[in-house]
Amino acid sequence: MSRPSTRTRTAASTLSRPRPPRLSNYAIDTADHGRIIDLHREADAPTRLPRGKKGGRYRCCACGKSLIFAAPATTGSGFTARFRHDAGGADPDRCKAPAALAASIQTDLTLAFDLHDRLAQALPATTIRVEIDPALAGAEWNLPPAVILRRGRHLAVIDRPRRLVNHRTTQARLQAVRAAHGEHAAHWWFYDRDDKHAFDYAGTHTVRISGEHAVHDKIRPTPDQRLINAFGAQVCWLAAEKILIPYGGRPVTHPARDGEDWSGDTARWLNDWTISQPHPAPDAAWWGLVPTPLTALAQPAFRPVPAHRIMAALAASQRGREEHRRALARTAYDRCRPVPVQLTLDAALPTAPACEETTPVLPAAPVPVPSPASEPGHSTEPLPRVPSRSTKARWSWRRFLPRRWR
């Protein structure tokens, strides 16, 4: 049995080895703040962009080397515009970066431009572009290129992570965007609703908005998402053609006030939940999500105004719900409170119970008056009796006491 030749084995191994994707349609424009050029989406690029090397203006996304913009000389030419590497070889259009790195870069570009296309359809009056820091050309990207939205003097930066990002990278990105675009620029972080690492599902809860019931999803935010929220950036999740805007929620127990009774049937209304909006509070136990169409970004300054209106309605509903429950507690208190008895002047005084014994009050004994005989200088002989001029018996204590006792 004959063995395959060396040329045959080399060809077979080449076919089995994954080949890096062609990135000749993409280039980082270092003269335009790191904007990524996609020749598929920019039909006017051959007539608008200068051809050639242009002093290293065009950089490869994967290997970071300078590129040559090869464009047709005439509009009727059949030549396809593309970026070529400034190197020889049998295939100068192919990037020499490792296949794994080139594939990862290709995935990030596809993700960023997919969001670019969806936003361009939802926001036709907005200028949208994809940018990356030119210093990251040829390096492995922690975050895909950002999508930049401009409308008048308003600007928004959208990051869409597709992998786990550590705390240091998140903080560095937040500070870099603020330093480059200022504090007034809106910074959004779009996570994928189907990414289990970025969407920790925590069930649902029913809310009442303008008299109608709605069901909102709840999630447990990750530490990085809490960091982004605390920094002032906007976290959301992308689900089809909608974005899910979070508000904070935590359980609360109403403290009893004077004149309220929360026992009995009223005890079931004691526990409630409170909302923190438009950004979740740091102590929020979970985040509720308001589904909002992508067209909400058409509002001034790229703020999700429709979602904020729903959150304000939820806050008003919460205040009304608490006041209603406290009214029930006050009613329960008034129902169980004893009614005091008011006495009037015409009401008869209550008599003593029959079982109680009363002790008669004896009048004080008369103070004896000393007789004249006991005084010195007086005679001890009895004085003559003087008959009374009246026939009526005189009143005396001695006669009164026996009759009183009987």
Side-chain angles (χ1 to χ4, degrees):
M1 183 176 181
S2 62
R3 298 178 61 184
S5 62
T6 304
R7 180 177 299 180
T8 305
R9 291 196 304 268
T10 303
S13 61
T14 303
L15 293 176
S16 61
R17 188 187 312 128
R19 303 180 67 185
R22 289 181 178 271
L23 297 174
S24 56
N25 292 319
Y26 301 100
I28 300 176
D29 191 352
T30 59
D32 193 8
H33 308 286
R35 185 179 70 89
I36 296 182
I37 303 170
D38 182 7
L39 297 178
H40 281 309
R41 291 173 172 83
E42 299 183 28
D44 61 340
T47 58
R48 181 173 50 86
L49 296 176
R51 295 181 298 173
K53 297 181 180 181
K54 301 306 296 181
R57 174 178 177 174
Y58 310 112
R59 303 279 299 278
C60 178
C61 297
C63 67
K65 296 183 180 299
S66 298
L67 297 175
I68 301 172
F69 180 43
T74 60
T75 56
S77 173
F79 182 81
T80 302
R82 62 182 180 271
F83 292 101
R84 305 179 62 178
H85 285 76
D86 188 11
D91 192 358
D93 293 341
R94 187 173 298 280
C95 179
K96 302 302 188 295
L101 176 61
S104 178
I105 296 296
Q106 179 69 60
T107 302
D108 286 346
L109 291 172
T110 302
L111 195 70
F113 277 102
D114 173 72
L115 180 60
H116 169 279
D117 296 343
R118 295 164 74 171
L119 291 174
Q121 185 176 2
L123 311 173
T126 304
T127 302
I128 306 174
R129 51 192 285 170
V130 178
E131 291 184 3
I132 193 70
D133 185 358
L136 297 177
E140 186 175 0
W141 297 343
N142 293 321
L143 289 170
V147 180
I148 310 298
L149 284 68
R150 292 182 183 273
R151 184 172 58 244
R153 59 185 181 87
H154 300 296
L155 180 141
V157 180
I158 301 179
D159 282 306
R160 189 183 181 186
R162 69 176 182 91
R163 61 178 69 88
L164 291 177
V165 182
N166 57 38
H167 192 81
R168 181 179 301 178
T169 301
T170 302
Q171 191 169 18
R173 178 58 180 167
L174 290 169
Q175 295 174 352
V177 170
R178 178 167 294 185
H181 302 286
E183 297 183 358
H184 298 289
H187 191 186
W188 288 71
W189 291 70
F190 276 35
Y191 290 92
D192 194 347
R193 169 64 175 81
D194 298 328
D195 186 358
K196 62 180 181 180
H197 299 292
F199 192 88
D200 190 2
Y201 185 66
T204 62
H205 73 134
T206 303
V207 297
R208 188 177 180 87
I209 305 172
S210 301
E212 298 183 359
H213 292 282
V215 178
H216 287 172
D217 289 333
K218 297 192 303 182
I219 67 160
R220 289 175 288 267
T222 64
D224 285 339
Q225 291 165 358
R226 289 185 181 272
L227 173 64
I228 296 170
N229 176 75
F231 199 82
Q234 179 67 62
V235 182
C236 70
W237 284 262
L238 188 62
E241 299 305 318
K242 292 185 177 181
I243 50 177
L244 308 178
I245 309 296
Y247 59 86
R250 62 180 178 86
V252 64
T253 300
H254 296 303
R257 300 174 182 172
D258 293 338
E260 295 179 350
D261 182 11
W262 292 91
S263 62
D265 294 339
T266 318
R268 60 176 176 167
W269 307 114
L270 191 61
N271 297 323
D272 200 359
W273 70 278
T274 181
I275 182 177
S276 56
Q277 47 86 32
H279 287 276
D283 62 344
W286 44 266
W287 289 4
L289 303 178
V290 179
T292 309
L294 279 174
T295 54
L297 294 179
Q299 301 296 325
F302 300 104
R303 307 295 181 186
V305 177
H308 290 174
R309 290 173 181 168
I310 293 178
M311 296 176 192
L314 289 177
S317 177
Q318 170 196 324
R319 292 190 294 269
R321 187 171 62 249
E322 179 181 357
E323 183 57 33
H324 177 67
R325 295 184 178 189
R326 290 193 178 279
L328 295 177
R330 289 192 296 267
T331 302
Y333 178 83
D334 295 338
R335 186 170 54 249
C336 299
R337 185 179 58 178
V339 180
V341 178
Q342 297 182 356
L343 299 178
T344 60
L345 294 177
D346 297 336
L349 295 176
T351 58
C355 59
E356 296 181 359
E357 297 181 358
T358 58
T359 304
V361 180
L362 298 179
V367 179
V369 180
S371 62
S374 61
E375 297 181 2
H378 287 274
S379 174
T380 59
E381 295 180 1
L383 296 177
R385 183 183 296 274
V386 180
S388 176
R389 295 181 181 181
S390 176
T391 58
K392 184 177 179 181
R394 295 180 62 184
W395 183 89
S396 66
W397 282 102
R398 190 177 300 278
R399 295 182 59 188
F400 174 76
L401 290 177
R403 183 172 58 188
R404 176 70 175 173
W405 281 105
R406 290 192 298 268

